[in-house]
Amino acid sequence: MNKRERHQAIREIIGSRVVGSQEELRVLLHEAQWDVTQSTLSRDLREMRVARMPTPEGPRYVSPEHLGDGAADDRTLIEEVLPQFFSSIDGVTELLVLKTIYGGAQPVAEAIDDAGWKEVVGTIGGENTILIVCRSPAARETLEKRLLKIAEG
Amino acid sequence: MNKRERHQAIREIIGSRVVGSQEELRVLLHEAQWDVTQSTLSRDLREMRVARMPTPEGPRYVSPEHLGDGAADDRTLIEEVLPQFFSSIDGVTELLVLKTIYGGAQPVAEAIDDAGWKEVVGTIGGENTILIVCRSPAARETLEKRLLKIAEG
DNA sequence: CCGACCCCTGCAATAATATGCATTATGGGT
DNA sequence: ACCCATAATGCATATTATTGCAGGGGTCGG
């Protein structure tokens, strides 16, 4: 009887198959050892704000936050985007600040994430500035040189 | 008796106010000189793929393109929002980098702010990454463990 | 003008969801 | 360990949505 875990289970189910009614969901949950009534599911779905969307093939439940997932496109290579957007780079301790032309921060930040470099703890991109958190000051220096090299083409 | 125009009228109504039932929508349409039964509206809403999203204040109809809107509304509880979006966590010194699924950074950052934890100096959220500035490396470790625990449900 | 064939709609029956109330679990505080 | 306050749940039922069916217009080809 753990509501939070059950919510998670519900998300996984409605995210991976077509669920058209709360009764149907109840059966699917039952197969996964969750045993609750339709009433509870009605309340769960409200708390989770799961919407019921009618379609020609019948209604289906959809998590609002997963609706934009279809928009996800192909990954971008850092070698392609950085020379195109690069403006300047600087940093202190384990922080690296990379500036790009306007609008370039997001794609570049994404490309850096995708590169999967071990020196990188994480990146945050605004409009034209990216903050890169590095694992150490030494890692920052390594990364700074690498990015500069890539930026030059 | 023009279905297309009626659909447009429906879009305008549900886009400009809260509509909680088809009967309610029927009355509103009636005030705008559209006279149809609830049955017809059920069919219209299906053709338009208008979803019904339950909320604490009662159900409401939302156009598909606005479906994600309510997701981050007042669900500021970190326990609710983190398991849903969590991807990974890492950090250095007093910086903690939390990664989420795409689009999850904002709501989670907001939830962390709302939690009011003393270890947190501040947060910055991008698209799928949150930078959490902690009060000290020790605070960072404490927070990292706590968030990991919450993320697991 | 007449049918044949649509699509659209209302009506009424059926299916699905939401909720008031009573009961049981859960988490603090002492 | 006990008690209280709060939250979670099931049951029965109210509310809401969906749908099978039949009728009303349109349109097109004869």
Side-chain angles (χ1 to χ4, degrees), chain B residues 87-123:
Chain B
S87 179
S88 71
I89 191 165
D90 197 353
V92 273
T93 60
E94 59 278 290
L95 299 176
L96 198 51
V97 173
L98 176 61
K99 297 203 174 186
T100 69
I101 63 173
Y102 195 81
Q106 289 298 336
V108 173
E110 191 175 324
I112 290 173
D113 286 343
D114 288 351
W117 290 324
K118 69 178 188 309
E119 293 90 352
V120 177
V121 175
T123 67

Side-chain angles (χ1 to χ4, degrees), chain B residues 10 19 38-39 41 44-45 47 67 113 125 139 145-146 153:
Chain B
I10 291 172
V19 181
Q38 171 268 326
S39 313
L41 295 182
D44 283 349
L45 293 172
E47 286 159 17
L67 249 187
D113 286 343
K145 283 175 194 154
R146 186 184 306 156

Side-chain angles (χ1 to χ4, degrees), chain A residues 22 38-39 42-43 46 52 61:
Chain A
Q22 296 178 2
Q38 170 267 325
S39 312
S42 173
R43 294 172 180 126
R46 174 175 56 209
R52 187 181 194 237
Y61 286 96

Side-chain angles (χ1 to χ4, degrees), chain B residues 54-90:
Chain B
T55 75
E57 297 78 35
R60 62 187 52 181
Y61 285 95
V62 290
S63 295
E65 56 271 19
H66 297 156
L67 249 187
D69 292 5
D73 251 13
D74 55 349
R75 337 174 63 189
T76 44
L77 273 184
I78 185 67
E79 289 86 357
E80 184 68 26
V81 94
L82 188 57
Q84 181 178 352
F85 291 120
F86 182 84
S87 179
S88 71
I89 191 165
D90 197 353

